[in-house]
Amino acid sequence: MHWLTQPCPIPDAALYQAAQQRQAQLTKPTGALGELETVVMRLAALQRRELPTLNAVHISVFAADHGVADEAVSAFPQAVTTQMVANFLHGGAAINVLAQALGATLEVIDVGVKTALTHPALISQRAGDGTANSALHPAMSHAQLHLALQAGADAANRAHTQQADLFIGGEMGIANTTAATALYCALLDLVPLEVTGAGTGLDRAGILHKVTVVQRILNLHRAAHHDPLESLRCMGGFEIAALTGAYLRAAQLGIPVLVDGFISTAAALLAARIQPSMHPWLFLSHTSAEPGHAFAIDALQLRPLLDLGMRLGEGSGAAVAVPLLRMACALHAGMATFAEAAVAGKL
């Protein structure tokens, strides 16, 4: 697993400046396009071209089950994980519709669904039949952690082979908001009560029960706090590990990463802790409706592109944000400069 700590390319400062200078020459007041200007300058530095593009988008959805579902922390039964994987494979989920609308490559990877499926379009890289119950045991062994991380790295490698301009990771796994909440608390020194949300739709009593389960997880694995790989092994999930590996490897290969919501941001936080040089390659797509998401946003010091109250997962929030990034690139490349339009610049 030597690749985990391999450094990532440094963004090209000269191309960031060139893009910044172009923005200053376009027929608008400097800064008038707000965050659209910032993201396109960042993309220029990452893609090493003054006029960045996002034509080729690669979406990998990782699915796995969680033993902590036995603690009744989800409003949906665990069987839904397998059922949703089938839905992905038959094109009926939100991410299928969004990927088709974007013209994006979409793949589904089973990294540990409890009831395995066989389908010609399914990529099977299983680390196990779901994780162990993290309220009673470490969620996974070291070997399982490495398998799941490698599944993510392999997805990023495929994206690189396909010359992707942007990588999006999605996830599916009943009870994974519990795993992600525990990771947020461990890595950011947070209290479960202020971080824990409804997940798939828990009521107030369900949320309070979930808080107690998260606290049990944190108490059991206290020695793993602040160690990103041990926190992931003891409290995480196979799909969260796969996302972590995918983000790390995508950044190492020079592919910008558009992060989805609550679960995906936990993986982004882990990836940035494991290899800080990957941080510049991250873009946050949206602010999740899960209350704990704001803490990770602050920790990563990144500004999400959208705030729509979404909490679906699957990579859906990231997919929704892609047209915004594409518009930023189109404006940067297509607008006339003051000189070209014979428009007077700022005095």
Side-chain angles (χ1 to χ4, degrees):
M1 299 299 290
H2 63 279
W3 62 268
L4 275 175
T5 54
Q6 180 180 321
C8 304
I10 298 171
D12 191 312
L15 280 167
Y16 184 96
Q17 276 193 328
Q20 189 175 42
Q21 289 167 4
R22 176 170 173 78
Q23 282 289 322
Q25 296 165 10
L26 299 180
T27 49
K28 60 174 180 58
T30 300
L33 290 175
E35 194 68 14
L36 296 181
E37 298 184 16
T38 303
V39 297
V40 81
M41 292 185 292
R42 287 188 60 202
L43 284 169
L46 296 173
Q47 294 187 353
R48 285 173 162 69
R49 50 193 179 206
E50 190 177 338
L51 302 179
T53 59
L54 293 175
N55 297 323
V57 176
H58 183 101
I59 305 173
S60 297
V61 179
F62 303 97
D65 274 309
H66 293 253
V68 76
D70 293 345
E71 302 292 333
V73 290
S74 173
F76 284 81
Q78 193 170 55
V80 169
T81 304
T82 301
Q83 292 163 1
M84 280 303 299
V85 170
N87 193 26
F88 295 146
L89 295 169
H90 290 95
I95 194 59
N96 297 101
V97 175
L98 293 165
Q100 184 175 16
L102 294 171
T105 298
L106 173 64
E107 61 179 21
V108 183
I109 304 100
D110 175 5
V111 284
V113 177
K114 189 172 184 179
T115 304
L117 287 173
T118 301
H119 189 281
L122 179 65
I123 298 171
S124 181
Q125 288 186 267
R126 296 170 56 78
D129 299 328
T131 60
N133 183 348
S134 58
L136 301 174
H137 314 279
M140 62 192 91
S141 67
H142 289 94
Q144 287 176 317
L145 173 62
H146 291 168
L147 285 171
L149 286 165
Q150 188 62 52
D154 290 345
N157 288 334
R158 288 190 295 272
H160 184 254
T161 298
Q162 295 162 9
Q163 298 183 310
D165 298 315
L166 185 72
F167 181 88
I168 292 174
E171 40 65 36
M172 177 63 215
I174 291 299
N176 64 7
T177 58
T178 297
T181 299
L183 289 168
Y184 277 55
C185 290
L187 296 173
L188 301 176
D189 284 323
L190 299 173
V191 177
L193 187 61
E194 63 184 351
V195 185
T196 307
T200 51
L202 292 172
D203 59 17
R204 180 63 180 165
I207 293 172
L208 291 175
H209 170 67
K210 189 172 167 182
V211 167
T212 65
V213 173
V214 171
Q215 189 61 63
R216 284 172 54 200
I217 295 169
L218 292 169
N219 292 343
L220 180 63
H221 305 296
R222 192 165 298 281
H225 294 200
H226 308 299
D227 180 328
L229 282 173
E230 268 300 281
S231 292
L232 178 55
R233 185 181 74 84
C234 293
M235 295 176 268
F238 296 145
E239 82 282 33
I240 299 174
L243 282 168
T244 303
Y247 293 159
L248 277 167
R249 190 63 185 148
Q252 289 166 354
L253 293 169
I255 307 172
V257 171
L258 184 58
V259 180
D260 191 33
F262 186 70
I263 312 298
S264 298
T265 307
L269 184 64
L270 287 160
R273 291 287 179 89
I274 294 166
Q275 176 48 268
S277 69
M278 69 84 59
H279 182 272
W281 293 86
L282 297 174
F283 293 80
L284 294 187
S285 61
H286 73 111
T287 301
S288 171
E290 284 289 305
H293 196 218
F295 295 100
I297 292 170
D298 287 345
L300 288 168
Q301 296 185 317
L302 295 170
R303 183 174 178 178
L305 296 167
L306 300 170
D307 187 353
L308 300 173
M310 295 181 70
R311 54 182 179 86
L312 176 59
E314 305 176 9
S316 57
V320 167
V322 170
L324 193 66
L325 291 176
R326 285 178 169 171
M327 286 297 176
C329 293
L331 287 164
H332 184 69
M335 284 182 69
T337 65
F338 285 106
E340 290 167 344
V343 174
K346 185 177 179 181
L347 296 175

